[in-house]
Amino acid sequence: MVKEKAVLTGMHFMSGDIACAEGAIAAGCRFFAGYPITPATEIAEHIASRMPKIGGVYIQMEDEIASIAAVIGASYAGLKAMTATSGPGFSLMQENIGLAAMTEAPCVIVDVMRGGPSTGQPTLPGQQDVMQAKWGSHGDYEIIALSPCSVQEMFDLTIEAFNLSETYRVPAFVMADEVVAHMWEKLVIPPAEEIKIVNRKRANMPPEKYLPFMPDDDLVPPMACFGEGYRFHATGLTHNEYGYPRTQSSEVQTKLVQRLCEKIRKNADKIVRAEENMLEDAEVVVVAYGIVARAALSAVKKAREKGIKAGLLRPITLWPFPEKTLAKAAENAETIIVPEMNCGQLVREVERITKSSRVFHLAKLGEEPHSPMEIFDFIRRKHK
Amino acid sequence: MRIEIRFAGFGGQGIIKSGIMVAAAACLYSGKHSVQTQSYGPESRGGACKSEVVIADDEIDFPKVTEPDILVVMSQHAYNSYAETVKKGGTIILDPDMIPNEKKLENVKIFRVPATKMADELGRRIVANVVMLGAFSAITKVVDKEAMKESIKANIPKGTEQLNLKAFEKGYEYGEKILKG
């Protein structure tokens, strides 16, 4: 029964977590399974209050393993589905994230990063899961991961995560941090008809012609949903176009796993997003994402005031990483600075792409993200 | 213009909510840019807690407070941590019954508002933060009084409007009174 509007068009003052929940609903998400965890609890809490009023389903599962399993099931049954967690829950989900990648189940996973490892610092921010997002489950596969830096982006990028997940049939991650999630800021929700929504490519051939894992030219197979009358076999084992296990075939394994990677790699130019600030003549390029990017922008402006030609590259897609944008920005840069709330993760990607020996990482752990002054001082120290 | 405000106390006093209500008043009802961030411990109630608000005419890059113009403080522990972080010439609004031991501070204006006692007199200690918001509005004038009242109404449980607005008015009157000296 629908009792409330799904899209709350208008201007709001909201927290990042609540904006994320509203973004999911606006994107068409009608199934959420999760297990509460700080600092992502408010996403589940808000969705639990909204779903019954808009004809959707909220289930609190017994843990995060079951949560992601339920999400994959809902996705296969035809709904847009999401879960939200933090580091400890994200670790538990990794096996089934691999299952979602292997069975090409579109789904969205929000990880509001707090301080780790293990249960770490539940109420404090971190950026320590960004490599886990890329490499967390075993085997070769590709995913898409987005990094919001404002309440508005918690809304916008959650919608984008659904759109990309539906387009490429991959798990898509919203890699937020505690500050962005708990921060309250202005959020503008546009009219429903102005929000771009992408739905998965559906099977439209007669059921006897349908092969569930036969890709189109874009490497993505059209998807039938369980119960629609199409014969459909899905498995985590290496499978052929019929969905049947072929555990001894080098040919099937090569074809399948390469396609799982290539459907993202070959479309990277279409997926990748980055914000470029004052990079045209930048001698110092700061690469920062999430809440740290906002401190970095302040620091870069301050550096400009002091006559240092600094610029900011903010990856909005962490995965795929904006390689070409960085390579171009780095061409004329003398110094590259990567502040992160971890001991050095995305900086490895920056080093790999730029091959520069003048890449410097600025770690920050516990309590607060970097202040603009800390980043500015680091710029001044390293750029001589 | 960039004004930094820090609310501090312990979890359960409505510290985080106070920040949200001020930031929302500035953004939704006064057309300024604002952002609220928070920091609290895993124990939530009873633990140290702070809520920070930045209000500006332009877009706000860094949302955290580094050197507050205004500190509103409601526990001894929070006072000890933050009293000396206030900007030169800045303002501290404190609840003297919650903070028996004050330090000697220079270059700050100090206003003492017995918000917890006043809330008790209204029958509900839980509105002490709203009494404080009344005094805060009167003393600092950072946000318009009517905007503040709209924001409070939008952020409290239904059925408590009368109590909260009364608490706000009491705090506002008290703030005006001590401002005049």
Side-chain angles (χ1 to χ4, degrees):
Chain A
M1 206 189 296
V2 178
K3 298 177 198 154
E4 265 183 17
K5 278 188 182 166
V7 180
L8 302 180
T9 302
M11 186 162 100
H12 305 268
F13 198 75
M14 240 182 219
S15 79
D17 272 343
I18 299 175
C20 170
E22 286 299 335
I25 291 167
C29 173
R30 290 296 178 272
F31 184 91
F32 182 100
Y35 188 85
I37 182 169
T38 304
T41 302
E42 292 90 336
I43 300 173
E45 190 184 359
H46 189 73
I47 286 208
S49 76
R50 288 272 280 144
M51 279 300 192
K53 298 171 193 156
I54 55 163
V57 176
Y58 167 88
I59 308 180
Q60 182 165 324
M61 300 299 290
E62 66 269 35
D63 61 27
E64 289 85 349
I65 300 172
S67 301
I68 179 75
V71 162
I72 295 170
S75 174
Y76 262 80
L79 287 184
K80 291 187 183 176
M82 177 171 101
T83 187
T85 189
S86 186
F90 198 48
S91 292
L92 286 175
M93 288 181 185
Q94 290 304 327
E95 183 183 357
N96 275 337
I97 286 171
L99 180 66
M102 187 62 145
T103 60
E104 300 177 72
C107 56
V108 171
I109 298 125
V110 182
D111 176 11
V112 181
M113 293 180 282
R114 63 191 215 181
S118 191
T119 31
Q121 295 187 307
T123 60
L124 300 181
Q127 293 181 319
Q128 298 172 309
D129 308 348
V130 293
M131 280 294 173
Q132 190 183 16
K134 171 88 170 117
W135 306 105
S137 202
H138 55 276
D140 281 315
Y141 61 97
E142 291 280 345
I143 51 82
I144 293 167
L146 304 166
S147 166
C149 80
S150 64
V151 170
Q152 186 69 47
E153 278 197 349
M154 283 295 272
F155 179 87
D156 295 343
L157 295 187
T158 302
I159 296 175
E160 175 110 358
F162 272 101
N163 289 347
L164 291 167
S165 168
E166 293 281 317
T167 304
Y168 297 104
R169 287 186 64 181
V170 286
F173 302 107
V174 177
M175 301 300 289
D177 56 72
E178 184 274 338
V179 179
V180 167
H182 278 161
M183 180 165 74
W184 288 66
E185 236 176 0
K186 183 167 82 175
L187 168 69
V188 178
I189 300 183
E193 60 275 15
E194 288 173 21
I195 298 174
K196 185 189 158 206
I197 302 291
V198 179
N199 296 313
R200 66 191 66 166
K201 203 162 55 178
R202 303 296 295 267
N204 57 6
M205 59 290 278
E208 63 276 13
K209 295 261 170 76
Y210 180 59
L211 298 179
F213 292 94
M214 176 64 85
D216 292 339
D217 290 343
D218 62 358
L219 303 177
V220 182
M223 194 166 173
C225 297
F226 285 170
E228 281 185 331
Y230 288 83
R231 192 184 170 86
F232 201 144
H233 190 273
T235 172
L237 292 168
T238 293
H239 46 271
N240 60 15
E241 286 82 0
Y242 294 84
Y244 295 140
R246 289 293 179 267
T247 55
Q248 301 291 309
S249 163
S250 135
E251 190 197 330
V252 175
Q253 166 78 349
T254 305
K255 206 168 153 189
L256 174 63
V257 177
Q258 278 186 346
R259 182 174 64 77
L260 294 180
C261 293
E262 282 177 0
K263 70 177 175 178
I264 300 302
R265 291 179 188 172
K266 288 199 167 161
N267 289 304
D269 285 347
K270 283 188 238 164
I271 301 167
V272 158
R273 282 181 58 193
E275 183 186 299
E276 297 167 64
N277 265 298
M278 298 170 269
L279 287 175
E280 304 76 27
D281 61 341
E283 292 168 2
V284 183
V285 172
V286 181
V287 182
Y289 55 97
I291 194 63
V292 180
R294 291 175 60 158
L297 182 58
S298 266
V300 161
K301 286 178 182 170
K302 194 171 173 58
R304 287 269 168 182
E305 279 168 26
K306 302 279 175 194
I308 302 170
K309 286 183 181 163
L312 172 68
L313 170 61
R314 178 170 76 90
I316 297 171
T317 50
L318 299 179
W319 310 112
F321 192 83
E323 300 198 10
K324 287 179 187 166
T325 320
L326 174 61
K328 189 166 152 272
E331 259 172 30
N332 301 313
E334 291 163 23
T335 309
I336 298 165
I337 307 267
V338 188
E340 292 182 274
M341 285 189 284
N342 58 44
C343 291
Q345 294 203 8
L346 218 58
V347 66
R348 301 171 71 100
E349 200 65 5
V350 174
E351 286 166 345
R352 184 182 73 77
I353 293 157
T354 63
K355 298 178 179 66
S356 162
S357 59
R358 299 206 36 86
V359 176
F360 301 99
H361 185 257
L362 178 62
K364 185 80 193 263
L365 301 170
E367 200 172 0
E368 306 263 290
H370 311 69
S371 71
M373 270 316 277
E374 282 173 310
I375 298 173
F376 171 71
D377 285 342
F378 194 72
I379 291 173
R380 212 161 41 173
R381 262 204 332 273
K382 294 297 175 187
H383 184 64
K384 281 173 190 152
Chain B
M1 190 268 301
R2 177 182 167 111
I3 296 174
E4 300 194 348
I5 309 159
R6 177 175 287 152
F7 294 86
F10 51 78
Q13 282 182 312
I15 297 293
I16 287 176
K17 200 68 173 181
S18 295
I20 291 169
M21 291 194 284
V22 169
C27 169
L28 292 182
Y29 308 105
S30 311
K32 295 204 168 84
H33 289 274
S34 73
V35 56
Q36 184 269 354
T37 59
Q38 56 190 282
S39 162
Y40 63 98
E43 65 279 56
S44 299
R45 277 181 188 78
C49 150
K50 72 174 165 173
S51 175
E52 299 181 335
V53 177
V54 178
I55 300 173
D57 291 328
D58 302 319
E59 281 209 27
I60 298 163
D61 297 335
F62 188 59
K64 289 268 179 187
V65 163
T66 46
E67 203 185 20
D69 299 274
I70 301 159
L71 171 69
V72 181
V73 58
M74 293 181 70
S75 81
Q76 184 71 54
H77 183 266
Y79 176 87
N80 296 347
S81 305
Y82 303 121
E84 281 153 337
T85 63
V86 177
K87 195 179 282 179
K88 247 188 194 171
T91 301
I92 297 180
I93 304 173
L94 60 86
D95 185 334
D97 299 313
M98 306 304 284
I99 300 158
N101 304 310
E102 287 187 36
K103 304 173 188 186
K104 208 173 140 36
L105 298 170
E106 279 166 14
N107 289 319
V108 285
K109 292 173 279 233
I110 297 170
F111 298 91
R112 295 176 186 83
V113 181
T116 309
K117 201 154 81 188
M118 288 164 71
D120 283 344
E121 283 162 16
L122 287 166
R124 292 291 304 276
R125 179 169 286 201
I126 200 164
V127 296
N129 64 328
V130 180
V131 175
M132 220 34 161
L133 282 182
F136 163 85
S137 303
I139 294 165
T140 67
K141 302 192 175 56
V142 165
V143 277
D144 175 67
K145 185 183 179 185
E146 291 310 312
M148 203 57 236
K149 278 160 78 172
E150 285 305 312
S151 181
I152 289 170
K153 279 193 272 180
N155 278 288
I156 51 171
K158 283 208 165 49
T160 67
E161 290 85 355
Q162 219 184 342
L163 173 69
N164 275 289
L165 290 178
K166 206 168 153 190
F168 179 80
E169 287 294 349
K170 277 209 97 166
Y172 196 90
E173 280 166 30
Y174 195 92
E176 277 191 320
K177 201 177 77 190
I178 56 174
L179 191 62
K180 284 174 192 153

